[in-house]
Amino acid sequence: MPTITINGKKIEAPENATILETARENGIFIPTLCHNDGLAPYGGCRLCVVEIALGGKTTVETSCTYPVEEGLVVKTDTERIKRARRVIIGLLLDRSPKPVVIQDLASEYGITERPTRFSIENEHCIRCGLCVRACREIVQARAISFAGMGFERKVTTPFNESSSDCIGCGTCELICPTKVVDMRDLPDAQEHAPGDHESIGPVRNLDNWNTEFKVKVCKECGNPFYPAQPLEKFRQAQNLQPEFFDTCPSCRVTPRVDEELCVGCMGCAVNCPIGAIQMKQKDEEQRATIYREICTGCHYCVDKCVVGAIKLEEQNHV
Ligand code: FES
């Protein structure tokens, strides 16, 4: 294990960890915007910059991407670092003045006036790329990506049209730090039919991606629970009974990981059709974690677990 120093404190860092991970493990706060523990390091926002000294040289680096190494000396809060963060926050505030997360950062770093270099109103997207990476790395759908260059760069679907790869899981909305991704579940949408409006039942709208899904209603409890079209796609891909998704995950038995038995082989994570399982570091071992918010309850992971560590829970509907 490499020994490093952060803010004067000697720390034994885990092999292959980043400075950010090591700092957080040891209760040292470094601000971030584009980092998420479930995603690969990205280094886009640069808010996590720290000063590092190694081999007689001092540089400023992004702590979320910089790996620890023996003898590294890190300072997270020097005047130089605070100045660098103020410049970054100032630029973000200029372009995206309304998101609460940006306003909070600005007041924390004593920025009272919005610079007016870009003069764009109401620009909420800060291009942190969390939605794009989550869609690709967690959901494995690749329904959205960056398009355009420089000032025009934005997150969108291919050709700005409704993407057939979107599964309406809402991960992009959940992970967005500025809440610019707008997902709306309407309990009873209306369709304009000749002479009248026709009810088409519950729908999920993801306006940013020009996508609308009809939502399946649970036959047991009557609650709308997940976009019908991707559910049918999973059902066919996994050769499940036609009625499998007639009930919602709350009315079905749902899988859970027995961490005592899990050997961290990743069989479940690799095979989960919507990427609802990720590997997480627990006590120096990798363990499977099921993201219940996006798990469809298909039970595919139960069949794929070679050591029987994924089990079905008792019915959990209340
Ligand atoms: S959190 Fe490190 S660059 Fe964004």
Side-chain angles (χ1 to χ4, degrees):
M1 283 200 196
T3 302
I4 69 168
T5 306
I6 306 183
N7 297 345
K9 185 178 164 193
K10 281 232 181 304
I11 292 170
E12 286 214 337
E15 216 65 64
N16 301 324
T18 61
I19 293 175
L20 179 67
E21 286 163 343
T22 309
R24 283 187 172 174
E25 277 281 297
N26 288 275
I28 298 164
F29 177 74
I30 298 175
T32 60
L33 267 179
C34 71
H35 177 79
N36 182 286
D37 284 341
L39 301 172
Y42 181 59
C45 72
R46 300 195 64 79
L47 193 64
C48 68
V49 285
V50 292
E51 215 174 281
I52 66 165
L54 189 69
K57 257 179 43 190
T58 304
T59 53
V60 172
E61 307 285 348
T62 49
S63 61
C64 67
T65 55
Y66 203 97
V68 292
E69 58 185 296
E70 186 60 39
L72 203 63
V73 177
V74 182
K75 291 183 183 161
T76 66
D77 227 10
T78 60
E79 261 321 302
R80 185 184 182 189
I81 290 303
K82 283 185 194 154
R83 236 183 0 257
R85 287 190 193 137
R86 270 197 291 274
V87 170
I88 294 159
I89 296 164
L91 290 169
L92 285 165
L93 186 70
D94 187 0
R95 180 147 191 170
S96 309
K98 299 216 170 142
V100 176
V101 64
I102 302 300
Q103 290 179 1
D104 286 350
L105 276 168
S107 70
E108 191 185 328
Y109 279 80
I111 303 169
T112 47
E113 288 209 1
R114 177 191 166 199
T116 51
R117 191 167 150 197
F118 297 127
S119 308
I120 285 186
E121 290 300 333
N122 228 359
E123 175 61 278
H124 271 62
C125 177
I126 55 170
R127 292 150 189 82
C128 65
L130 281 169
C131 57
V132 173
R133 291 180 290 136
C135 187
R136 185 177 58 215
E137 293 175 33
I138 296 176
V139 187
Q140 296 170 18
R142 296 173 181 268
I144 49 176
S145 58
F146 277 113
M149 306 268 287
F151 198 69
E152 304 292 332
R153 189 165 161 83
K154 63 175 183 179
V155 177
T156 184
T157 50
F159 307 107
N160 291 330
E161 304 214 332
S162 173
S163 167
S164 59
D165 292 325
C166 178
I167 61 168
C169 64
T171 304
C172 50
E173 190 229 19
L174 268 176
I175 208 166
C176 175
T178 64
K179 301 297 160 216
V180 65
V181 180
D182 188 18
M183 185 177 85
R184 288 173 298 128
D185 283 340
L186 307 178
D188 189 16
Q190 306 285 314
E191 198 168 56
H192 195 57
D196 208 350
H197 291 278
E198 210 171 80
S199 167
I200 56 166
V203 299
R204 173 170 289 184
N205 271 310
L206 280 148
D207 288 341
N208 304 60
W209 323 132
N210 303 310
T211 304
E212 180 178 285
F213 295 96
K214 283 191 186 179
V215 172
K216 193 129 185 170
V217 174
C218 175
K219 280 203 174 146
E220 287 283 330
C221 64
N223 287 328
F225 65 98
Y226 204 78
Q229 185 193 331
L231 280 184
E232 181 54 17
K233 220 160 109 183
F234 304 150
R235 192 194 65 72
Q236 288 178 11
Q238 291 155 51
N239 212 11
L240 296 165
Q241 299 293 323
E243 64 284 355
F244 189 88
F245 287 122
D246 283 356
T247 47
C248 69
S250 296
C251 289
R252 282 195 299 272
V253 276
T254 53
R256 74 176 173 81
V257 179
D258 183 334
E259 291 189 354
E260 295 291 307
L261 296 179
C262 176
V263 292
C265 69
M266 298 176 68
C268 53
V270 169
N271 283 290
C272 174
I274 58 156
I277 307 179
Q278 296 286 306
M279 304 309 293
K280 287 256 165 138
Q281 195 75 23
K282 297 227 169 106
D283 304 329
E284 306 200 356
E285 305 282 352
Q286 292 272 311
R287 295 284 179 263
T289 301
I290 299 175
Y291 287 86
R292 303 184 88 80
E293 299 83 357
I294 53 175
C295 170
T296 61
C298 71
H299 306 174
Y300 198 52
C301 52
V302 179
D303 298 337
K304 288 289 163 190
C305 180
V306 287
V307 293
I310 304 190
K311 300 177 174 164
L312 295 178
E313 274 183 344
E314 288 307 305
Q315 202 144 311
N316 58 356
H317 190 57
V318 286

